Structure formats: C-alpha cells, structure tokens
Amino acid sequence: MTILDSFNLAWRTVRGNKLRAGITIAIIAFGIMALIGIITAIEAMNQSLKESFSSMGANSFSIRYKDSRARMGPNNDEVTKTKRGLKEKKSNLNKPLRLEEVERFKANYSFPGAMVSVYRRGPGGQELRYEDRKTNPQILVWGGDENYLMVNGYTIEQGRNLNNLDVQSGRNVCLLGSNVATRLFGERPERSIDKIIKVGSTPYRVIGLLKSKGSSAMLRQDDVIVTTYTNVRRYANIGPTYLVGVSVTDINQLPVATDEATSVFRSIRKLEPKEDNNFVIEKSDKFAEMFIGFLSSITGAASAIGLITLIGAAIGLMNIMLVAVNERTKEVGLVKAIGGKSKYVRQQFLFESMIISLLGALFGIILGILVGNIFGIILDTGFVIPWAWVFIGIIICTIVGLVAGIYPAMKAARLNPIVALRYE
C-alpha cells in the first residue's frame, strides 16, 4: 500500500460520512472565516486610509500650537527639562498661533520651492442651503488663503481660487466641495458658480468648485466649504489659533524643510535657545499611521478570536476521529490481519483528519474573503485578498488537522488485530 492508496481510502471515508464530516468542516470554516473576514476588512480599511491621506499630500506638514497635554514634572514646576535637556515652561503651553505670527512665518519662510498656507478651522457642523435644498448639518468649514488648496491637495474643477483681495477684504466668497455642490445643485454641480448659498444664516457667493478627492468612510474630504481665514475670523466665534501648512516639491526635502521651519518659528515666537518648542510640527501622514496602528491592534484581537475558534474546532475534530476509530475497529483489525502495517493505518487516519481540516480552510477562506470585501465595496477600495493570511490560514488548518488526528491515528495503529476483530 502506497501513500496515494492511503489518501484515496481516507478521501472515500470522508465522502462516505458526509453529515459528520460536513459539521466538522463547517466548524473549522467558521473559525477561518472569522479570521480571514476581519483581516480582509482591515486590509480594505488600510487601503482606504492610505489612499485618503495620500491625497492630502505626503510632501507636506503643518504647524500647530502645543497644548497642555504635554507631560510636566512630578512637582508641577513652572519649568521642567525635556528628554533633550531643553526647558519646557508651563507658561508656553496652550499658546495659540496668532495671526501676526503665522503671517510673519509665511513672509519669512524661504525654503526653495516651498509653498506656505495660513488657515484655520471654521465652526463645525454647518448646514448649507440653496433655494429649497440643504445639506446635512455636518459640513466642515475651513478658512484658508490662496495657497490652501495646493498645500492640502485640492484642485479647482470650475471657477477660480481664492486670491489676495479675498483674503484682505474677508468678503463672503467660498469654494464648494464636490459632495456639497452635488447635494445643492444636483447632477450639474457646475451651475453653482456665482450662485448665492447660505452657510447657517450668512450668504456666500460661490466662486469655485473643487474636484473630488474621493471621500471615504474614514475621511469626508469632499464635504467641505472653503472660504478665507479673515472671513472665518469675522463670523466664527471660535478660538484665536491659526494653523500653518507647508508643502515642498520633493518628499526627500521634507526633513530639511521641517528643520528650517522649526528655526524660523522659534525666532518668531521669541524662544530662548534652551527652551523647548511651544508648537508642534506634524507630517500629513501622522494620522494615517495612528489609524493603521489602531487597525493593527484590531488585527491581533481578530487573530486571537480566530485561533480560539480553531482550538474548539480542533477538539471537535479529534473527538470525531476518536469516534471513527471506535466505529472502525474491526476494519482496522482486518487490515492488520491480512498484513497491513501500522504505519498505513496511521497514515489513513491522519489523511482523514487533514482532509477535513483543509476543506474547512478552503471554504472558510472563500467565505472570509467575500465577507471582508463587503467593507471593500463600502469603502470603494476594490477587491482585496490578504494573500499572506490566506497562506497562514492554510498552515494553521494543516497544523490543526495534524494535532487533532495524530492521537486517534496512533490509537488505531496500536490496535491488536485479534482483539480488534473480536470488538463489538
């Protein structure tokens, strides 16, 4: 008897016990489906995040103020030392970036090829109206300048950009995100140019339509309205802080550009050489990395859930194989009585266990990929197949089949043929 003969016998035995094998295969399949399904969904979310944040410009960074969540000394002293040995003053925390500071930075920052934008967040959750149409009350309002679109990865599809006159005068003009324009003007969003809309109760003239950046479930980049920061300052009762965005032509120049920005801004904020920065420079992909790290922790939890399910499946498979050994004791005795070797009996039972386990892996992987790609459809990321985890799933199920089948196989191989033939 060859290994192929043992495999064929095992396959015929599995096919002959469809109900029992089917239930065990289903248990294993659900465990793998849970694992592969969650991993596939997380892969789709990762892809959506990377696409969303890459549209913000990987070659840009922003400057904001440093808040009081920065760690202070155990005695709550006025001055503590940071890891670099610089002094960090409590009085330097929560200092907003004032308009004169950010405008001075824009005028003095002269890194080759860099573009600087001054902007600020407007009031959140705004409802926009045009005639009898309105948006949901979750539209983001941003106040920027003539460089805001370029630094933040937006492009004009119709109309014009903000200019210096708009910024200086603070007049009520705005640019509409593509989702907002479609909601207010239907299938012809280009009709929005030169129309008067209301943001809350304030009228604005639409001067430009932004090209879609592909809003996803993670980022609503097309649900925005952009006006000037001077206009937002006039109408929005929010904090005084501003933000600075900087974009460079070459991503490899980013470290040097951030160092120069740090030097210029320290001078503007009148920091002593031994004082720590009271502002923060953040790259555009920081939040993407944070979200991806969070999703990685979910991946670990999903793996644990899937492995626990597979351990339960392995116990169930071992139980099924032990029952099979008891049911086929006479068959084993007959095989050994006519000269069959113990290793062939052991091979047959091991093959049976592995066939059941791998069939569970096959169905579980297919179902998991299909279920996980529901998120891919929602996030519009295309069909995702986590090949690494597919192979890991196959390896895990192979191990499960071996572990679950090895004891029943050894038990069958050790049967005494005379005792086995007399077994009732």
Side-chain angles (χ1 to χ4, degrees), residues 211-420:
K211 189 174 182 179
S212 175
K213 291 182 69 175
S215 293
S216 66
M218 314 302 288
L219 290 173
R220 297 183 294 112
Q221 299 178 92
D222 293 331
D223 292 336
V224 297
I225 173 175
V226 180
T227 183
T228 61
Y229 62 82
T230 47
N231 182 273
V232 168
R233 182 180 59 177
R234 286 170 51 193
Y235 289 104
N237 185 22
I238 55 178
T241 190
Y242 288 79
L243 299 166
V244 177
V246 181
S247 134
V248 295
T249 54
D250 185 358
I251 192 171
N252 295 320
Q253 297 176 334
L254 206 56
V256 181
T258 54
D259 287 344
E260 184 167 329
T262 301
S263 175
V264 173
F265 219 82
R266 283 181 62 88
S267 174
I268 291 173
R269 301 209 94 182
K270 297 181 173 61
L271 294 174
E272 297 292 333
K274 292 185 178 181
E275 288 182 345
D276 190 27
N277 296 334
N278 57 4
F279 55 90
V280 177
I281 293 182
E282 293 178 337
K283 295 181 182 178
S284 60
D285 59 354
K286 176 185 176 182
F287 294 106
E289 292 174 356
M290 181 181 68
F291 277 115
I292 289 170
F294 174 69
L295 291 177
S296 297
S297 64
I298 298 178
T299 302
S303 303
I305 293 170
L307 288 174
I308 290 170
T309 306
L310 288 173
I311 289 171
I315 294 170
L317 178 57
M318 183 180 290
N319 182 58
I320 292 295
M321 295 307 299
L322 287 171
V323 171
V325 171
N326 289 332
E327 287 183 346
R328 292 155 55 194
T329 299
K330 279 192 174 183
E331 177 188 329
V332 173
L334 181 60
V335 170
K336 298 187 76 173
I338 62 176
K341 296 182 178 180
S342 296
K343 71 174 184 177
Y344 296 132
V345 175
R346 186 164 54 246
Q347 284 175 0
Q348 183 180 346
F349 279 92
L350 274 175
F351 278 137
E352 285 182 35
S353 177
M354 291 181 64
I355 286 170
I356 292 173
S357 184
L358 289 174
L359 283 174
L362 175 64
F363 290 114
I365 288 168
I366 293 172
L367 290 173
I369 290 174
L370 293 176
V371 170
N373 272 286
I374 293 174
F375 286 89
I377 294 171
I378 294 172
L379 300 175
D380 195 24
T381 59
F383 200 76
V384 178
I385 300 178
W387 288 109
W389 280 95
V390 167
F391 291 117
I392 289 172
I394 293 172
I395 292 170
I396 289 173
C397 284
T398 302
I399 295 171
V400 166
L402 281 171
V403 171
I406 194 166
Y407 175 70
M410 291 178 65
K411 182 179 178 182
R414 287 198 300 262
L415 286 174
N416 186 302
I418 297 174
V419 175

Side-chain angles (χ1 to χ4, degrees), residues 133-149:
R133 295 188 178 186
K134 62 181 180 179
T135 66
N136 60 49
Q138 296 178 354
I139 304 302
L140 297 175
V141 178
W142 284 98
D145 57 12
E146 69 281 2
N147 294 332
Y148 176 83
L149 301 186

Side-chain angles (χ1 to χ4, degrees), residues 17-312:
N17 294 277
K18 291 184 176 64
L19 180 60
R20 180 189 298 168
I23 292 172
T24 311
I25 289 170
I27 295 172
I28 296 172
F30 278 116
I32 290 293
M33 183 187 72
L35 177 62
I36 299 296
I38 296 174
I39 297 298
T40 304
I42 290 172
E43 287 284 334
M45 292 179 189
N46 274 335
Q47 188 172 326
S48 176
L49 272 171
K50 289 174 182 176
E51 290 174 356
S52 297
F53 279 96
S54 65
S55 65
M56 294 174 64
N59 58 337
S60 62
F61 61 91
S62 62
I63 305 175
R64 63 169 177 85
Y65 76 97
K66 195 171 188 178
D67 60 28
S68 58
R69 286 175 292 184
R71 187 173 63 179
M72 298 303 294
N75 298 322
N76 204 29
D77 296 332
E78 175 65 21
V79 177
T80 59
K81 286 189 176 181
T82 65
K83 290 181 180 179
R84 294 175 297 165
L86 300 177
K87 296 178 180 178
E88 184 176 82
K89 293 183 178 180
K90 285 178 60 178
S91 56
N92 269 338
L93 300 177
N94 289 329
K95 276 192 171 182
L97 273 59
R98 294 177 287 114
L99 180 58
E100 54 269 27
E101 291 177 334
V102 294
E103 287 184 338
R104 195 183 314 158
F105 176 85
K106 183 178 179 180
N108 294 335
Y109 186 69
S110 57
F111 190 82
M115 184 172 292
V116 181
S117 172
V118 173
Y119 59 98
R120 64 183 293 173
R121 178 78 175 265
Q126 291 297 298
E127 182 181 79
L128 277 62
R129 295 175 180 270
Y130 175 72
E131 295 179 349
D132 60 341
R133 295 188 178 186
K134 62 181 180 179
T135 66
N136 60 49
Q138 296 178 354
I139 304 302
L140 297 175
V141 178
W142 284 98
D145 57 12
E146 69 281 2
N147 294 332
Y148 176 83
L149 301 186
M150 183 67 70
V151 170
N152 288 277
Y154 286 100
T155 55
I156 294 286
E157 185 168 4
Q158 297 282 338
R160 68 172 180 86
N161 191 10
L162 300 169
N163 56 36
N164 282 323
L165 185 58
D166 298 325
V167 176
Q168 295 300 323
S169 64
R171 56 192 177 188
N172 294 7
V173 294
C174 68
L175 309 166
L176 295 184
S178 61
N179 285 354
V180 177
T182 301
R183 183 68 185 88
L184 294 179
F185 297 92
E187 297 300 321
R188 297 181 59 191
E190 66 275 3
R191 294 189 303 116
S192 61
I193 305 301
D194 285 331
K195 296 295 191 298
I196 302 298
I197 65 169
K198 284 194 174 182
V199 181
S201 60
T202 307
Y204 281 80
R205 183 168 67 89
V206 179
I207 61 170
L209 172 63
L210 301 178
K211 189 174 182 179
S212 175
K213 291 182 69 175
S215 293
S216 66
M218 314 302 288
L219 290 173
R220 297 183 294 112
Q221 299 178 92
D222 293 331
D223 292 336
V224 297
I225 173 175
V226 180
T227 183
T228 61
Y229 62 82
T230 47
N231 182 273
V232 168
R233 182 180 59 177
R234 286 170 51 193
Y235 289 104
N237 185 22
I238 55 178
T241 190
Y242 288 79
L243 299 166
V244 177
V246 181
S247 134
V248 295
T249 54
D250 185 358
I251 192 171
N252 295 320
Q253 297 176 334
L254 206 56
V256 181
T258 54
D259 287 344
E260 184 167 329
T262 301
S263 175
V264 173
F265 219 82
R266 283 181 62 88
S267 174
I268 291 173
R269 301 209 94 182
K270 297 181 173 61
L271 294 174
E272 297 292 333
K274 292 185 178 181
E275 288 182 345
D276 190 27
N277 296 334
N278 57 4
F279 55 90
V280 177
I281 293 182
E282 293 178 337
K283 295 181 182 178
S284 60
D285 59 354
K286 176 185 176 182
F287 294 106
E289 292 174 356
M290 181 181 68
F291 277 115
I292 289 170
F294 174 69
L295 291 177
S296 297
S297 64
I298 298 178
T299 302
S303 303
I305 293 170
L307 288 174
I308 290 170
T309 306
L310 288 173
I311 289 171

Side-chain angles (χ1 to χ4, degrees), residues 6-16 351-352 355 359:
S6 297
F7 180 83
N8 288 332
L9 282 172
W11 175 246
R12 284 201 296 269
T13 304
V14 171
R15 289 181 60 187
F351 278 137
E352 285 182 35
I355 286 170
L359 283 174

